Amino acid sequence: MENDAIETRIQSLGEAKISSPMLLHNEQGGIPHLFVSDDERILINIQTTGEPVLDTHGLPASFELAGPRRKVYFDPAKVRCAIATCGGLCPGLNDIIRAVVLELHYRYGVKIIYGIRHGLQGFIPDYRHNFVDLTPSLVENINNRGGTILGSSRGSQDLDRVVDCLEMNNIGILFMVGGDGTLMAASKIADVITQRNLKISVVGIPKTIDNDIHLLSRSFGFDTAVDVSRMAIQGAHNEALAYPNGVGMIKLMGRHSGFIAATAALAQQDANFVLIPEVDFDLEGPQGLLAALEERLARRGHAVIVVAEGAGQKFFNPENAGRDPSGNVQLNDIGTFLRDNIKAHFESKNLPLNFKYIDPSYMIRSLPPNANDSVFCGFLGRDAVHAGMAGKTRLVIGHWNNHYVHLPMAATVGRRKQINPSGKLWTTVLESTGQPPLKNSLGG
């Protein structure tokens, strides 16, 4: 954790003056709720050694605790809400939608909830995507489905037109579910709303299967990805064991951070080599991957390689890299690159090789979440509703030090969480695999 001072104050549309409908539920014998005060905070740094992370006032930085407030800003009988899912698919999107709708409807009594079709496109009339009326009956069983019932899209849109749509449809709370690019767009939408002096809350629910959002200890979909990746590693190991000089290689998600690859390798300890974006490696040379793989096969007769999609990008010409509609750099395919080079290396030495290549990425992205992710999504969705109804804005719902918290969008967007090559996660991967440094010059 870097010790740069960070802003942790959560912005609000105004004073919350309306008694929460949950108070009435309690009086009528409903489910008791633990109301949260804005003064309840979760320290960012709980270590007893080292310098603490400070806020912009020079005090130990802490996040506002998420949860229902006794007073809300929006009148539940009048407010209209909308939810959009943006970017790539991820296990749990439908669970988020379901949690938001059911919490708004049953706990707050909100009747008008719009689902925005295909991300930001749904706000732009030119695309002709109709709103979806999200009701409890519509979302009742969507948690059993992968993907998102609202659809998604990539690419930027005219944010003034997005706010035009919000204003014309009298939407008071906008929930945006997506990764770093989506949260950046949400922050800019909030800027336009402020410029127009509108009272619209913008609440982000961070989504990245890679678990790489800054200042978040966990993101939904990651647990499911590790679960399925573990099975892929197990399958690759069985394939490698079945043939002489068998090699099984699995390419997993992880554009800039190798959390899925590292964690799955620890969950299914059959991997011998784990390659991630944060740790450089050489292919050729006496200490490179090819030499290490050759030695491994000579000694044990089989090997398993796990590679994150963003690893080894130095082997490609950066000038050839394109960009997707959202502006993200399109990575070169390290999986097929390694497959072809490993096969060519062993053919050049006239060494037998039985190579199996597995890429489960798109299957994982589109699956329903596992039990842990489903529960996690429920908490995130409900706490997003509590924040929005309280009139809070420009925030994301996150998980930190085992609590659900409010983070200002500005504190987390544009920065990425990565594996520390000297930290416990990566050193444990090295211990479990016995992987050598794979560098010809450690000082290079």
Side-chain angles (χ1 to χ4, degrees):
M1 170 66 66
E2 298 177 5
N3 286 339
D4 296 338
I6 62 173
E7 175 60 72
T8 61
R9 181 179 61 89
I10 299 300
Q11 296 185 29
S12 177
L13 297 177
E15 183 181 355
K17 299 179 180 180
I18 302 171
S19 294
S20 170
M22 291 186 178
L23 289 169
L24 182 61
H25 293 324
N26 288 345
E27 292 170 1
Q28 295 177 343
I31 301 173
H33 288 83
L34 178 63
F35 290 97
V36 175
S37 164
D38 288 350
D39 295 330
E40 295 182 62
R41 315 282 298 187
I42 302 300
L43 284 172
I44 293 179
N45 189 341
I46 60 173
Q47 291 181 325
T48 56
T49 59
E51 296 182 9
V53 178
L54 302 178
D55 62 20
T56 54
H57 303 288
L59 300 174
S62 60
F63 292 133
E64 186 177 280
L65 188 64
R69 268 53 178 177
R70 289 184 175 273
K71 297 287 186 179
V72 297
Y73 178 82
F74 288 103
D75 182 346
K78 299 181 177 64
V79 68
R80 296 183 178 187
C81 301
I83 181 169
T85 54
C86 308
L89 297 184
C90 179
L93 285 168
N94 283 333
D95 290 65
I96 294 287
I97 296 168
R98 182 178 187 272
V100 168
V101 171
L102 296 186
E103 192 72 8
L104 283 169
H105 184 92
Y106 287 117
R107 302 264 58 89
Y108 285 96
V110 175
K111 301 304 181 185
I112 300 178
I113 309 164
Y114 296 129
I116 309 302
R117 294 281 293 156
H118 298 296
L120 293 180
Q121 286 186 8
F123 293 104
I124 310 300
D126 303 2
Y127 290 100
R128 300 184 179 274
H129 300 318
N130 292 329
F131 286 180
V132 178
D133 289 322
L134 294 176
T135 62
S137 60
L138 179 65
V139 304
E140 182 180 8
N141 296 312
I142 63 173
N143 53 313
N144 298 317
R145 295 167 51 183
T148 164
I149 63 165
L150 298 178
S152 188
S153 67
R154 295 189 184 275
S156 60
Q157 301 295 337
D158 185 332
L159 299 185
D160 276 300
R161 298 186 72 188
V162 170
V163 178
D164 287 344
C165 182
L166 294 172
E167 189 174 6
M168 286 186 294
N169 288 279
N170 296 315
I171 293 170
I173 307 174
L174 171 61
F175 301 97
M176 290 189 63
V177 190
D180 190 66
T182 300
L183 298 180
M184 284 185 178
S187 182
K188 293 176 181 178
I189 289 171
D191 288 340
V192 178
I193 289 170
T194 300
Q195 292 165 8
R196 297 190 188 184
N197 198 29
L198 301 175
K199 297 298 185 180
I200 302 174
S201 169
V202 181
V203 179
I205 303 175
K207 175 221 66 172
T208 167
I209 202 169
D210 294 348
N211 197 33
D212 63 352
I213 294 182
H214 181 59
L215 290 177
L216 293 184
S217 58
R218 176 185 171 192
S219 56
F220 73 87
F222 173 72
D223 198 86
T224 305
V226 171
D227 255 4
V228 182
S229 299
R230 176 181 182 175
M231 291 189 288
I233 294 173
Q234 189 177 51
H237 183 235
N238 291 337
E239 287 283 353
L241 283 173
Y243 300 94
N245 277 359
V247 174
M249 188 174 77
I250 312 96
K251 187 182 81 170
L252 298 175
M253 292 81 69
R255 290 177 55 85
H256 304 284
S257 306
F259 288 105
I260 294 176
T263 308
L266 291 179
Q268 183 67 38
Q269 297 193 12
D270 292 326
N272 310 111
F273 303 96
V274 181
L275 310 173
I276 61 174
E278 297 91 332
V279 179
D280 189 22
F281 70 95
D282 291 331
L283 189 63
E284 309 280 352
Q287 306 300 322
L289 174 64
L290 294 174
L293 178 59
E294 188 177 335
E295 187 276 331
R296 162 77 191 183
L297 292 180
R299 180 166 48 89
R300 297 296 302 273
H302 70 281
V304 175
I305 304 169
V306 175
V307 55
E309 61 181 319
Q313 293 300 303
K314 72 174 187 181
F315 299 118
F316 305 95
N317 185 347
E319 295 181 358
N320 295 333
R323 291 186 178 271
D324 65 19
S326 296
N328 300 311
V329 174
Q330 292 181 316
L331 300 177
N332 290 282
D333 193 337
I334 186 63
T336 56
F337 173 84
L338 290 178
R339 177 197 64 194
D340 296 344
N341 277 270
I342 289 171
K343 287 183 175 180
H345 173 80
F346 280 82
E347 287 176 4
S348 69
K349 293 199 166 189
N350 200 28
L351 295 173
L353 183 72
N354 285 283
F355 193 94
K356 300 295 189 299
Y357 176 53
I358 301 172
D359 182 357
S361 300
Y362 284 99
M363 179 186 76
I364 295 173
R365 289 172 14 134
S366 58
L367 288 174
N370 67 8
N372 283 338
D373 268 332
S374 187
V375 172
F376 186 51
C377 287
F379 281 115
L380 291 174
R382 287 187 286 270
D383 279 336
V385 169
H386 299 319
M389 289 300 297
K392 298 178 183 298
T393 189
R394 293 178 182 269
L395 81 154
V396 298
I397 305 299
H399 195 251
W400 191 261
N401 287 337
N402 206 33
H403 291 273
Y404 294 88
V405 295
H406 298 156
L407 289 81
M409 286 181 179
T412 187
V413 298
R415 304 177 69 180
R416 201 173 301 280
K417 181 175 69 175
Q418 291 188 301
I419 291 176
N420 178 0
S422 301
K424 187 167 187 176
L425 176 61
W426 184 244
T427 54
T428 306
V429 170
L430 296 180
E431 289 175 6
S432 69
T433 60
Q435 175 175 317
L438 302 180
K439 287 292 293 179
N440 292 306
S441 174
L442 295 181

